Each structure stands twice: as structure tokens, then as C-alpha cells.
Amino acid sequence: MPDDLRALASRVRPGMSLALPVDYAGVSMAMTRPLIDHGAGDLHLTCVPTGGLQVDMLIGAGLVRRVETSAVSLGEAGGAPRFNQAVRDGSIQILDATCPAIHAGLMAAQKGVPFMPMRGLIGSDILANRPEWQVIDNPLASGDPIVLIPAIRPDVAIFHAPMADREGNVWIGRRRELAAMAYAATQTLVTVERIVDRSLLADELTAAGTLPALYVAAVALAPRGAWPYGLWGEYAADTAELMRYAAAARTAQGFADYMAQKVPA
Amino acid sequence: MPDDLRALASRVRPGMSLALPVDYAGVSMAMTRPLIDHGAGDLHLTCVPTGGLQVDMLIGAGLVRRVETSAVSLGEAGGAPRFNQAVRDGSIQILDATCPAIHAGLMAAQKGVPFMPMRGLIGSDILANRPEWQVIDNPLASGDPIVLIPAIRPDVAIFHAPMADREGNVWIGRRRELAAMAYAATQTLVTVERIVDRSLLADELTAAGTLPALYVAAVALAPRGAWPYGLWGEYAADTAELMRYAAAARTAQGFADYMAQKVPA
Amino acid sequence: MTALPREILICTIARLLDGVRHVAVGASSPMPAAGAMLRRALDDGARPVRLSILGSVEHNFFTNGSAELFDSAGQGRLDAFFLGGGQIDGRANVNLVGVGDYPQAKVRWPGSFGSAYLYFTVPRVILFREEHSPRVLVDKVDFISAPGVSEPDVHRPGGPVALLTSKALFGFDRARAGFALESIHPGHDLDEIRAATGFAFDHAAAPATTPVPDAATLSLLRGRVLDELAETYPAFAAQWRGDLAAMTSEGATA
Amino acid sequence: MTALPREILICTIARLLDGVRHVAVGASSPMPAAGAMLRRALDDGARPVRLSILGSVEHNFFTNGSAELFDSAGQGRLDAFFLGGGQIDGRANVNLVGVGDYPQAKVRWPGSFGSAYLYFTVPRVILFREEHSPRVLVDKVDFISAPGVSEPDVHRPGGPVALLTSKALFGFDRARAGFALESIHPGHDLDEIRAATGFAFDHAAAPATTPVPDAATLSLLRGRVLDELAETYPAFAAQWRGDLAAMTSEGATA
């Protein structure tokens, strides 16, 4: 495992909150084993807005105390086995959300406000189980109940992107939830397919899809770092590998055996 | 004047609210004379978040009832003469704001919520003169006053951008306030330097800076359509022309004479 | 031409989408996607129909991250959406979370995704679940991911309009907060529907049969739509083509 | 080497920016920009200093439109900012709107820009106005674009720390809500400051003189910083170079 991935992982301390992106946006799977080896546990995961393989592995490795998410699954490969088991066992706390509520919480942090209002939710058991989400009467129009979602301020956001430059600017394209995570988080750790010499801010075409270094604490090179997930514009998901994991991780032992395997080069 | 600019202008009806961008983001100066010739008046202008030459001209032409803005000026060329005169005369209503309040109002519209909370403002005369902006006690932490900014939902947003494709997708680069205006507005009218044949969504590099056609009601070609303002990545502002306007428009007659001149080709 | 059961479903979906400008479907929802593609093909030249397939790179015209779908719904720019559900009850409540006591559900499903928002903001939400059984169509869901109806003071421009299963099509009456059987698909009958449905519903004494697509629609579906679909759902399209080939050869040997 | 008055101001600004990670300046603010560039040059190798010049394409590393500056301030990522003001009063209230009764002001200025937000959220706001006269430094502003102090319950991580004019440097005491004279620039004296200031302020019996930059700082300023500045503010840089040339030739002929 490259030293720089290890260095990134070492920034995570026990009890921290981590924001992790949805499957198709750029999951830094390359960081998963370094995080597990590093071993900082008692983590609070915020899935932006849903989770998959990485979340399942961190749960399986026993590092997770709580998950806030709109869903966790392996997509075509089915349910997330370690997540489902942990929920049944009650070994993790689950904070069920709905996608735009997670976006709203991050937006509140981005804007430096304590909450964002959000439509919907009223009458759902999601809301009924989230006492920190408050229903108020819209102060601008009485008789109009509306939910307030508190700001979500992750300690660390972690994702994978196609490229970064030497100044630490990261190209995220149109996957702007990655920027939203970074704006909201205290520090953001990024793995990339490649590092380019020319500043991504040097021309307007690349600048348009760039997260400025202001928000980026550290960058590490990790070619095919989303595998077995795909990376938009770069490579497709390895569904067979996801299926192989899904089958193996049905049991704790199967999960342990899978994780004990050497990572394919 | 090209027919398609006339067609765009004809979508504006008396009494409508128009969102117009800041000087450096991409002002569709090409639309100014068509709007004046079209003559729909009683307009409410929302400057995103400040205004300049276009706002001054629309006011000078007598089309404006009300301006919501964080500032109106001609930048290096000094104060905005027709705006300043109209404020002194009381012939327009001025809703003084501060930049992030206008962004907050547009964001509320983007998110489909009635308001956005915002820090700051408390104790300012801006707030004191905006009765529709409410101060509430933060429901999530008592003893914490916070301002709510109502959603701003313009009828029409108008801006100028480098390029559009034949499907109506518009490349706005990193000038994402243009997207914010379009998300918030009912319809968005865009002039562009050029129309390209290839879909802007066909590759991730251009897609990253593209406003999808979903938000765009009409596009018209207008080369150098921001002149005498500049367009980022394309051409610089013509400061001499701005100075010439600033000097001419000190009086109503001077303004009328300036506007009666043929537009340079 | 004889229509396959899935073709009847797809044509029914296209019918339910009549008049939409923008419809979104989930990542692994080939039938709703096919219905939307058929709608787009039927409206070709008359009205543009935009289709967003969530999580797809190909059929994703959004450029503001995964929040943009929800934002566009909040702006009133999304006309139709599909929801499934591990459980759906007679008040159109949807459960995507699990069976048993929350949170330690006996069976845990992935979660509610965007349902608790889109169900409120999208005017035409179509409940689509092929399995039509008392296990899915229950009297009362164990967990409400998104409620079918709301109190009158709740801002709710959207909600359920129909429930489509492999056996039947129901309409939903928001005022009454209940389903009414609109039509039964060919090959099924009212007794079977009653037995398979865990909630009470209104129905005519002799319910209508779900219309079978005409030849023109079928040919559009098996031509342009199937080709378009194959780009995003190759496995589903291949199976469909296989079934068509089997049906043709059966017909030939019959 | 003798320092020009503007060089003393720029070095004072750089001193006030000691320790910042990220500073933003307005579009037409060459002196604050020069101060920030000098700070960056002084900290080279020790600590990165990010400089955002609003409205500039060159010195704009933001990629989320004009809202991003304010967002970054709300996130606590902006350490210092400069505010001018048509009027500034003794409680550090700032008026960017106009003179006379609002809204039909006798004199109308452009407007408040982002002041009513950044004054609350940026920890180190430096009030910078070269004109030091009773017209600008008033007892009470006609319109509060942004207040200098807030009630204790108001969320306010930011606010004014200093007021720098062509004649003097004041510090601001938030608890007392008043200015104290820190130093007078060479060539000015306390009586002049008193006469030119429309509000009361604390001061020592014999106020300090604003330090003049040492030779090393001056050479950094006239070398690297002036070159950097010329890219964004060519007219200002050219005038400065002209004044330096005139001073040198005066010195040669003296």
C-alpha cells in the first residue's frame, strides 16, 4: 500500500464523522483498506446521499458506530450484507434519511447556517425517528408546516476523482456533490487517477469542473482507485467483483476471508 | 437588430421580474436595446447580486419600477447616473440588499423552499428597510436570532454566455450564479457568442460547465453580446465606452442622445 | 401481433405518462425507462419529453450533482417519477426500509432514497411493482418511507396517481386516500387480484381489461424503443429480444 | 531608502494581515491587494497565503460563482477582508449607501455589496479609507450598511479590527465599541488627526508613529510585489513606478 494513502488514512481519528459519496460519483475505494488498517473506529458515516461497498466494508471491519444515509446497497449485486446484518444486530445506529435531506444538511454547512428548510418528509417514519429534525410553522406564511434539517459538518470528506494538479486543485467535473461534501467538511482527502502538471484553474474549460485547493487537505495518487466501482468518464464498474463480494460477505467469516485476500494489482 | 433578439425580448411582459447578472459574469448587453424597443415596462429588476450598465439603461429608458440589488455602479467608470438620479427622484423603488442575501433568495427558489436562513444583517439598516425579511429565534438553539430571506423567483433570467449547442444547452463555465438564476427563474433567455454543433453534454469536460436545456427557454446568437462589458475567457471590457456612457448619461438628455446613437457593429 | 406481458406493462406506463415534459426513473428500472422512451417516441415532433435515468452517465443531463434531480422537482420541473416499495399499503404509503420493528428490522432493505421528498413534489408519481402479492401490497406498511396522503395544510403539489403491478392497474384517489381497480391485465381476474392484494380497494362489478397495444405502437416499441433501451439495459433488452424470438418461433410452429 | 506614503500604508496592511491563510480584496482595491501580496511574499515558504481579488479572472480561484466567497466566509475559510465606506462612524458602523434620508438620499453611493454579511463572518475586517476627513469619519453614519458591533446573542465570529487611513492607524475595541489611535503616519500629528476625525477616540498622550518599512521589506515590495500588482492594477503600478523614479531623481539632484 502506498505511503501516501497511509498518510491520508492517518488523518482520521476515532469518533470522527466521515462523508462518503454515492457509488457513481467517485468512491475512493483505494482508501478503504488503508482506513481499515489504520483502525480508527467509532466512526459516524454520512452517505452522500447513499452508500455501498465502502460503507459495507467499514461496517464489516467494525469501525462504524453510526450511519446516516438514504440507503445502503450494492446496486445490481443486491443488498449490503454487513450493513444489513449490523442493522439487524443493532450493532450500528442507523439514521435513516432521504437523499435531499442529506444534501440540505450539507448545504446548510456550506452556507454557514444552522439549518436548511426542506419540503416533504411530514408524515413519514423517517421524520418520526429523527428528533433533531424539527417541524416549524413557516414564519413567512402561517399554517404551513415545514421541516428544518440541521447542518451536517463532517470532520472528513473522502472521495476519488479523475485528476488533480500540483497545487491541490481537483477536477470533479459535474459531480458537484463532491464539492458540496468538501465545502461542508473540515478537511477533504482525495485520491485521483492522475496528477497533471498544468493548473486546472489555468483555463476556463477545466476550471469549470474544479474544486479549488482551498477545500482540499491532501491528495494521493491511486490509479483505478474507485475499483470495483467505476469512475465516470474513465472506467466502468466491475460488477462481477461486486457480486463476488456480495456472495462472500453474507457471513462474517466470508467477509473476513474476502478482506484477507491480497488486493488485485 | 436580429429578429431572434427581438423574439427573446418579446417574452418579457409588463410588470415582470427580471434577474440580471453582475458585470463580470456575462451581461447580455445585446438584449438591452431590444428590451427597450419592445417597451414592456413596470419591471422589477433583481441584480445578481449587483447591477451596472444594463440596469442603468433600463432605468434611464423608464422601464423599471423597482430594483432589488446589493449595489449599482459602473465600476471604474464611477456611479450609475440614471440609477442614482432615479433614487434621488424617488421614481424607482430601491430594495437595498447585500450580495449573499440575493444568493440566498435564489437558492431558496432553487430548492423549492419558501426561505433560506442567513447569518449577518442584524442591526443593519438594510434589514430595517426590508420588512419581508424576518428575524426568528433559531428553532434548533434558543437565544440565537437569525434572518430568513424569502425565495426570489424571477419571471425571467437574462444573461450572455460563450456558447450553446443546438439542443439549447448553454456553457456557463464556473459562473455558476448564471445557473442559480436559471434554476430560480421561470424562464431563462440566453445570448451567446457562438452556437456549436456538438452537444455540450457529450463529454464530461464541457458538461461540467453546462447549464442543461431543461432550464433554458430560448437562445440567440449575439457575437460580442456583452459589449461594452467583457466576457470572461473571451474579451475584455471596453472601459472607454463605459466612461463615454457615464459622462453622457449624467443628464436625461445626454442619456437620450447616447441611446439614440446607432449601435457600433 | 400478440403482446408480451411486459409489453402491455410498458405501454400502460407510456399511457400514464401522457403529456409529461420531464420524467425521471431509477437506475435499475428498465420497464419505467422503456415506458418513458415509448412516450418520447410517441410524442416525437409534437412535444419534447426529457428522460433522466438516475445514476446513468448516458441518460443524465444534470450537471449539478445528485442534488439537481431533487432541486428540479422542487422547482416544479419534474412531472413524473416511479416508486417501488418493499411494501405498499392501501393508503399508498410506501415502505423501502424493512419488515418488522424499526430500527432492528427482521428484513432490512436499502432505504428510502429520495422517496420522502419526490412523493411530495412530483405531480405524477407512479407506483410500479411487478410482484402483486399480499406480502407487497399490505394493509399497513411497517415503516412509512413516504406517506400516500398528507393533511391539507402540508405543502404537497405531488403524490401517487396509479399503482401498476404484473396483474392490474389501480388508480389512486387522494381525497378518499384509497385505490380503485382500473383494469386487470389479460390472463388475470378479479378473484385473483382480490386474493393477491392485502388492502381493500374499489372496483367495478366487471372490471375493464388493460388495453393491449396496437400494431403501430408494438412496432415502435420493438424497434426504436428496444434499440434505445439496449444501450442502458443490455441484459433486459437481450432477454426481451429472446422472448420475442421464442414467441415468433412458437407462432411459426403452432 | 525613503518610503513613499503609500508604501507605509501597504506595509501596515501586510502587518495587519500577519498570520492569515486566506484574504479577499475588492475589485478596485490596489492597496489592500498590494498589502496582501506583500504578506504572501513575506510568508513565502513558511505558510501559504491565498489571495482572492473579487471580479478578477486572474486572481480568482473560486469555481462556484459569486456566492462562493460568501460561502467560504460562512465556513470560516476567509480570515481577512477589507471594507471601505462613504461614512464610517465611531462605533465602526459602515455606510455604503448614501448621505441624507433613506431611501431618497441626497448623495447615493452604489450600495452595501457583501458588507452586511462579511462584517459578521470574517474574523479580521480591516476598514481602509485613504480620505481622512470629518466628511468620511463621522460621529454617526446616515445609513448602517453593516454595524460595527452586535448584541451578545448575535452570531458574529467576525468584525472590525482596525481602521487605516492616509493619516493614521486605529485599532477597534469590540467590547468598548470604540476606536483607539494606534499610530500616526510620518508627517502628521495628533491635532491634525483630531480635527480630521468626526468621532471621539482613545489615544496615548504621545501617540506612536507608524513604523516605516525596513530596506528588505521595501525591496520585496518594489520588486516582486510591484511586478505581481502590475498584472491586475497596471495603472496603479505605473503611477507608483513613476513616483519612485521621481523620488530617485530628486534624491540624485538634492
Side-chain angles (χ1 to χ4, degrees), chain A residues 165-170 182 188 200-201 210-219, chain D residues 50 61-63 68 77:
Chain A
D165 65 21
R166 305 212 172 268
E167 298 158 19
N169 301 302
V170 177
T188 293
L200 289 166
L201 297 177
T210 295
L211 174 71
L214 174 66
Y215 307 96
V216 180
V219 174
Chain D
R50 290 177 204 278
F61 60 76
F62 290 130
T63 57
E68 188 175 357
R77 291 186 215 266

Side-chain angles (χ1 to χ4, degrees), chain B residues 22 24 48-50 69-73 75-76 78-79 83-84 87-91 94-100 103 118-126 129 143-145 173-177 232-233, chain D residues 28 54-57 60-68 70 93 97 102-118 120-121 141-147 149-150 153-156:
Chain B
V22 62
Y24 52 77
V48 183
T50 62
T69 190
S70 304
V72 181
S73 92
E76 284 184 73
F83 165 77
N84 289 351
V87 169
R88 278 194 299 271
D89 294 348
S91 60
I94 170 80
L95 300 177
D96 268 290
T98 186
C99 305
H103 294 307
M118 184 185 141
R119 290 302 191 187
L121 278 172
I122 294 170
S124 72
D125 285 331
I126 298 172
N129 285 280
D144 176 25
R174 49 172 156 164
R175 299 275 28 129
R176 297 198 65 85
E177 59 269 71
W232 44 272
Chain D
S28 32
L54 309 186
S56 147
V57 173
N60 169 11
F61 60 76
F62 290 130
T63 57
N64 196 22
S66 57
E68 188 175 357
F70 306 104
N93 295 313
V97 159
Y102 185 82
Q104 285 179 251
K106 279 185 302 186
V107 178
R108 169 76 203 195
W109 296 315
S112 304
F113 292 96
S115 63
Y117 182 75
L118 295 175
F120 287 78
T121 48
V141 295
D142 289 1
F143 183 97
I144 301 177
S145 286
V149 294
S150 298
D153 63 344
V154 172
H155 178 82
R156 185 162 191 173

Side-chain angles (χ1 to χ4, degrees), chain B:
Chain B
M1 181 187 309
D3 281 351
D4 45 1
L5 293 183
R6 220 187 288 275
L8 257 62
S10 72
R11 289 172 171 260
V12 175
R13 292 194 303 275
M16 276 188 165
S17 59
L18 267 52
L20 304 172
V22 62
D23 303 353
Y24 52 77
V27 179
S28 179
M29 285 305 301
M31 281 293 290
T32 310
R33 281 163 193 269
L35 284 168
I36 292 171
D37 289 351
H38 173 57
D42 203 25
L43 300 176
H44 171 119
L45 305 186
T46 299
C47 304
V48 183
T50 62
L53 182 61
Q54 184 171 52
V55 170
D56 205 60
M57 285 179 168
L58 295 175
I59 290 171
L63 297 184
V64 178
R65 170 177 43 109
R66 191 164 57 211
V67 180
E68 172 164 25
T69 190
S70 304
V72 181
S73 92
L74 299 179
E76 284 184 73
R82 294 296 91 210
F83 165 77
N84 289 351
Q85 186 65 48
V87 169
R88 278 194 299 271
D89 294 348
S91 60
I92 60 168
Q93 187 191 350
I94 170 80
L95 300 177
D96 268 290
T98 186
C99 305
I102 289 178
H103 294 307
L106 293 173
M107 181 59 78
Q110 175 180 333
K111 295 287 171 187
V113 290
F115 59 83
M116 278 276 293
M118 184 185 141
R119 290 302 191 187
L121 278 172
I122 294 170
S124 72
D125 285 331
I126 298 172
L127 178 63
N129 285 280
R130 297 297 298 264
E132 71 279 25
W133 293 1
Q134 278 202 29
V135 183
I136 64 162
D137 197 28
N138 172 6
L140 308 185
S142 70
D144 176 25
I146 188 164
V147 180
L148 304 184
I149 307 290
I152 297 173
R153 297 189 178 88
D155 294 311
V156 181
I158 303 176
F159 64 78
H160 185 73
M163 56 183 162
D165 64 20
R166 306 213 172 268
E167 297 158 18
N169 302 301
V170 177
W171 194 71
I172 58 166
R174 49 172 156 164
R175 299 275 28 129
R176 297 198 65 85
E177 59 269 71
L178 302 178
M181 289 165 58
Y183 299 148
T186 306
Q187 52 176 320
T188 292
L189 311 178
V190 183
T191 56
V192 292
E193 292 293 316
R194 56 193 170 275
I195 307 236
V196 297
D197 286 323
R198 186 155 187 264
S199 169
L200 290 166
L201 298 177
D203 77 86
E204 293 294 330
L205 196 59
T206 51
T210 294
L211 174 71
L214 174 65
Y215 307 96
V216 180
V219 174
L221 193 64
R224 295 191 70 80
W227 179 88
Y229 281 126
L231 185 63
W232 44 272
E234 302 276 331
Y235 44 89
D238 180 349
T239 308
E241 181 65 19
L242 287 164
M243 298 276 193
R244 200 170 76 78
Y245 173 83
R250 274 188 212 134
T251 64
Q253 187 57 51
F255 172 76
D257 292 347
Y258 180 95
M259 296 305 285
Q261 291 164 11
K262 234 180 126 56
V263 185

Side-chain angles (χ1 to χ4, degrees), chain A residues 51-64:
Chain A
L53 182 62
Q54 183 172 52
V55 170
D56 205 60
M57 285 179 166
L58 294 175
I59 292 171
L63 298 184
V64 178

